[in-house]
Amino acid sequence: LARGANVDFDVVSNPEFLKEGAAIADFMKPDRVVVGTDNPRTAELLKALYDPFTRSHQRMIVMDLRSAELTKYAANAMLATKISFMNELANLAERVGADIEKVRSGIGSDPRIGYSFIYPGIGYGGSCFPKDVKALARSARDAGQESRLLAAVEAVNDAQKRVLFGKIRRHFDGELAGKSIAVWGLAFKPNTDDMREAPSRVLMEALWAAGATVRAYDPVAMDEARRIYGARKDLLLCKSAGHALEGADALAICTEWQEFRSPDFVKLKAPLKAPVVFAGRNLYEPALMASQGIRYYGIGRGERQSA
C-alpha cells in the first residue's frame, strides 16, 4: 500500500518432504503434497502448479495452515520415534539373548508396522530429525504441554550414538590410549556428505578423548570432515576403505554405504592388527563373520554369537 500498489496475495504453508540423497526424485514423484491454506481459490492454484508431478495419482492434501505446519513436524517426529524405539529394543535384545534382526523381520511383517525405519543402529543424525523433534517439543511447551515421548526419543538417540564406543571400550578393557581405530562412514546416512549430528562424530570424539587415533574413510564426506575437524594428529583421513584398515586395531562402521556391504573379508582382515569389527548398522551376519574368523559386534545381535 505504501507503494501505491494493491496486489491480491495469499499465504500458503507447503512443507517439503524431501530426503537427503533423493531430493530430486522425491520432488518429481512425491508421496503426497501437503498444502495449508484457508482460501479455496489458492488451493486450486497450487493444484494446477503440482498437476504435472501428480498426474498418475492425486496426492494433494489440502488443510488449514496450522495443520500443515504440524504435519511436517509430526511426520519427522514419528519416524524418529520408530528409530529410537527400535534401538531401545536392540539394546534389550542383547541383554536377553535375542537377535534384533529376527525381531525386526517378525514385527515388520505386520502391515500395521511395516519395515520402514525399524532398522536398528547407532542413532539418527542430519538436519531434519534432530531439528524437527526439538521444534515440535518446543512448540508443545509453548502451548503449555510437556511432550514426554519426544523427550524420550531425543534421550534414547543421544545415548545410542555412544553405544558403539561402549562396545569398543569394553572389548579393549578400557585401554584405548594408543589404539588406532578404522572408521568406515562419516556422513549421517548414505548418498550425502552431511555430517550434521552424525553418529560418527560422537564416536570419533569419544575415541580421541580416550587417547585413541582414528583412520577414517567416507566415499563423499572427506572434505566435510576436513572442514569440521581440520588438521589433527589423531585423525587420518584415508583415500580408500582399504587404506583406513592399514595397521588399525579394529574397524568400526558408522554408515551403511553400498561399498561396505560386500567386502572381501580376507582383504578386510589382513591389514588389521586383530580381526575385530564393530558394525553400527548391522551390515553383516554374525555367523558369516565367525566363519571368517572375525570377532563381530553388531547392534542388538548378541555379542556372544560371534565371540
Side-chain angles (χ1 to χ4, degrees):
L1 292 178
R3 296 179 180 179
N6 186 13
V7 179
D8 187 24
F9 71 94
D10 200 1
V11 176
V12 175
S13 177
N14 181 207
E16 52 83 14
F17 299 95
L18 309 179
K19 299 184 293 293
E20 282 197 56
I24 295 176
D26 289 343
F27 180 80
M28 300 299 289
K29 296 181 179 179
D31 294 322
R32 76 285 202 198
V33 176
V34 173
V35 172
T37 179
D38 297 316
N39 188 330
R41 182 186 69 86
T42 302
E44 287 302 313
L45 290 173
L46 267 294
K47 181 179 181 300
L49 177 66
Y50 276 107
D51 265 348
F53 307 99
T54 60
R55 286 190 180 278
S56 62
H57 182 68
Q58 182 50 250
R59 296 180 174 88
M60 181 170 288
I61 305 170
V62 179
M63 58 187 71
D64 61 276
L65 282 163
R66 288 186 178 271
S67 295
E69 292 170 359
L70 185 56
T71 295
K72 167 65 176 178
Y73 287 134
N76 280 347
M78 175 65 79
L79 298 177
T81 300
K82 291 182 73 174
I83 293 170
S84 281
F85 178 70
M86 205 64 193
N87 286 333
E88 283 269 82
L89 286 182
N91 296 336
L92 176 60
E94 286 191 3
R95 290 179 175 271
V96 301
D99 184 339
I100 194 61
E101 291 297 325
K102 292 182 173 60
V103 175
R104 180 182 62 80
S105 296
I107 66 175
S109 61
D110 186 330
R112 297 171 300 175
I113 298 172
Y115 290 102
S116 297
F117 290 86
I118 62 168
Y119 289 83
I122 49 175
Y124 59 78
S127 64
C128 293
F129 286 6
K131 168 179 62 65
D132 288 355
V133 170
K134 288 179 173 66
L136 187 55
R138 175 61 183 268
S139 295
R141 288 195 298 273
D142 291 346
Q145 175 180 314
E146 192 64 30
S147 182
R148 293 186 293 273
L149 179 57
L150 292 178
V153 169
E154 278 196 276
V156 168
N157 192 61
D158 290 343
Q160 197 68 17
K161 290 180 179 181
R162 295 189 62 83
V163 163
L164 210 57
F165 173 73
K167 291 176 181 290
I168 295 171
R169 181 175 55 191
R170 286 193 298 274
H171 174 82
F172 289 105
D173 296 322
E175 300 296 326
L176 285 171
K179 298 296 184 184
S180 175
I181 307 298
V183 175
W184 282 2
L186 300 176
F188 84 95
K189 73 172 195 175
N191 303 317
T192 179
D193 66 351
D194 195 344
M195 289 179 62
R196 284 175 288 185
E197 303 205 37
S200 64
R201 297 177 63 172
V202 176
L203 173 62
M204 291 193 297
E205 289 163 17
L207 288 169
W208 293 332
T213 60
V214 171
R215 300 176 60 87
Y217 169 73
D218 186 281
V220 302
M222 304 302 277
D223 287 342
E224 181 66 2
R226 289 187 187 93
R227 185 191 68 80
I228 294 170
Y229 292 114
R232 46 185 304 158
K233 294 180 179 180
D234 50 10
L235 172 63
L236 176 64
L237 295 175
C238 299
K239 60 187 178 183
S240 68
H243 181 213
L245 299 174
E246 294 176 7
D249 292 281
L251 166 64
I253 304 173
C254 293
T255 314
E256 63 276 31
W257 283 96
Q258 188 65 36
E259 72 172 85
F260 302 154
R261 291 182 179 272
S262 300
D264 182 325
F265 290 110
V266 173
K267 292 182 178 179
L268 186 153
K269 281 176 58 177
L272 292 171
K273 291 180 180 177
V276 184
V277 173
F278 300 87
R281 302 297 180 183
N282 285 352
L283 292 186
Y284 316 127
E285 284 297 318
L288 172 61
M289 300 299 276
S291 72
Q292 297 288 330
I294 299 173
R295 182 104 186 243
Y296 181 69
Y297 296 86
I299 304 296
R301 306 218 66 180
E303 294 172 8
R304 63 179 178 279
Q305 295 179 37
S306 56

